[in-house]
Amino acid sequence: MKRRIIVFFPSWRYFGHFAQPLFESLAKEFEIVFFHTEKAIYGWNDCPDLSGKGIEAVDLESLKTFSMVSALKKLRADCVVVFDKGWVQDRALLHAARHLCIPSLHIQHGSIAVLEEVKTKNFVQRACLEFLKIVRTFRLYNSTAMQIGVAAWLKSLPFQLRLLLNPNDYYYNHRQETVADRACIIGERDRKFFVEKEGYRDEQLIPMGALQFERAYSMAPREPLERLLLISQPLFEDHVLEGGLEAKKRHVHEIIEASPLPVAIKPHPRENAQWYRDNFDDSELFLYPPETDINDAILDCSHVVGYFSTALINALILQRPIGVIRWVDDHAYVLNLDQDGFAVGLDSAEQLPSIVNAGDKCGAGQYAYNRNVLEVLVASFNSLLH
C-alpha cells in the first residue's frame, strides 16, 4: 500500500513551480497530496487540477476546519513536507504533525539570508493589502495551538506578540520555534544557517541540492551569444523595492542603457511576462518566454546579472561571469556571491561594464550539491516512514 505524503505550501503561486516537478515523478511510488491554503487564507483559486498527473490537490477551506490538527487527521497523513517553516501556516502544520507523531520533512526552497534586522518597506501599503491574510493566519495558528492544548497555546503567546508588533515580517520571526524531523539542504554553505538560525541539529540535515542545479550539472557547455542576461524577480510587485511598476520600468531601462552588451531577460515565474512586451521593444530587450528553462537561457548568454535568485547559482555551475545588482536593494536579501568572491558586486548601473572583464569562477560545490534529487527524496521518505 502506498504511503500518503502531504506536501504543504501556502499558495500555488509561491511554491507550485517548485513543488510540481519535484513530486510529479514520485506519484507512482507514493500517494502525493498537495495541501494548500489558497482559498482559506488568500481567497485565491490558482492551484490547477493535477489529478491527471497522479497528484491530489486539497485546499484547507474544503476540509471545513482552521486547525492543522484536524486537517492532518482528515488527510490521513503518513508524512508531511514543508518548503519554508518560517511561514505561519507551515509552523502550525509542523506543530500539528509533531502532536500527532507524524514524521515531517523540510525541503529548502530558494536562497537563504539572515533577516533578523530586516524592516518592512511600504509598511502601510503592505499592511492594507495583507490585512485579511494576517487575520486568517492568526486564526489558523490559534485554532491549531488550542487543539493541541492550553499549554501549547500559552507557550505560543510570545511568538504571537511578535506577529502583532510587526505582522508584515511575520514569517521571519522566531524561526527556531519549531523544526521538522529532517531538513534537505541545497548546498554546504547552508548547513551553518540551518543549525544556527533554523534550529536544526547537524545530524538532521540531508545534503540534497535541487532539480534545477542537477540539470545544470548535467548540461554540456556551448558557445554563448555576446549578451547580458538579467535574471529578474518580482521585487517591485512584492514591494521589496519601492515605486511600483513605474520604478521597475525605469530600473530596467537603466540596465539596458548602461549595459555594454545587448540585454535579455528571464522573468521570474511570478512576474507578468506581458508587462515586458508592453513596455520594451524587441530591439532593446530580448524576452525569454516562460517555458524556456533557466539553464538554457544562461547557456545562451555570455554574462549574467541578478539580485538574490538561486538561478545565479545555476550561472555559477554553468561557468558564466556573474554580477550582483545591489544599487536598488537594501543589501539584506542578496545572495552574497560577490562577497564570497564568486561574482562582481554592482553598486551602480555605471559599473555594469566591469562584468565584461570578469572571468567565470569555480565555486558551485559549496552552493549546490551535485546530487540525484529524487533518489535523495525517496531515501529520505523511506527513512522517515520506516
Side-chain angles (χ1 to χ4, degrees), residues 32-223:
I32 304 297
V33 179
F34 280 2
F35 174 42
H36 59 88
T37 55
E38 285 208 339
K39 292 181 182 178
I41 299 296
Y42 303 95
W44 301 335
N45 190 24
D46 289 351
C47 192
D49 180 4
L50 299 170
S51 57
K53 300 181 182 296
I55 297 174
E56 180 184 356
V58 178
D59 193 298
L60 177 66
E61 184 181 78
S62 68
L63 299 178
K64 308 300 181 185
T65 180
F66 253 79
S67 166
M68 288 299 194
V69 174
S70 296
L72 288 182
K73 289 179 179 178
K74 292 182 177 183
L75 289 169
R76 308 184 315 281
D78 289 317
C79 185
V80 166
V81 176
V82 298
F83 297 124
D84 186 344
K85 72 179 182 64
W87 291 55
V88 174
Q89 298 98 304
D90 298 74
R91 215 185 304 257
L93 188 74
L94 288 176
H95 280 307
R98 188 166 298 279
H99 175 69
L100 295 171
C101 299
I102 298 170
S104 56
L105 183 67
H106 174 188
I107 300 176
Q108 181 189 346
H109 168 265
S111 59
I112 57 173
V114 178
L115 299 170
E116 293 170 348
E117 303 300 324
V118 172
K119 302 298 181 183
T120 300
K121 294 182 177 179
N122 298 339
F123 184 91
V124 174
Q125 185 176 8
R126 289 187 66 185
C128 291
L129 287 172
E130 300 185 359
F131 177 76
L132 281 178
K133 180 190 74 175
I134 293 166
V135 170
R136 289 165 178 163
T137 51
F138 265 97
R139 179 186 173 191
L140 182 152
Y141 190 89
N142 280 283
S143 297
T144 302
M146 287 298 294
Q147 193 167 0
I148 292 173
V150 175
W153 179 77
L154 290 173
K155 186 178 179 181
S156 76
L157 291 181
F159 163 63
Q160 295 199 58
L161 178 61
R162 288 283 297 272
L163 296 188
L164 286 169
L165 292 175
N166 193 1
N168 285 324
D169 286 338
Y170 70 96
Y171 47 93
Y172 302 136
N173 298 328
H174 284 253
R175 296 181 72 89
Q176 297 185 42
E177 184 212 9
T178 185
V179 294
D181 294 317
R182 298 284 189 277
C184 293
I185 59 175
I186 289 176
E188 193 60 27
R189 70 182 284 271
D190 304 324
R191 186 176 296 275
K192 182 179 179 182
F193 180 91
F194 267 70
V195 171
E196 295 183 0
K197 301 298 181 181
E198 295 279 16
Y200 286 99
R201 302 186 308 277
D202 190 73
E203 60 268 23
Q204 291 177 283
L205 303 180
I206 303 169
M208 176 178 170
L211 282 176
Q212 68 269 30
F213 303 141
E214 187 179 335
R215 295 190 195 103
Y217 276 117
S218 69
M219 297 180 80
R222 62 174 181 253
E223 192 66 26

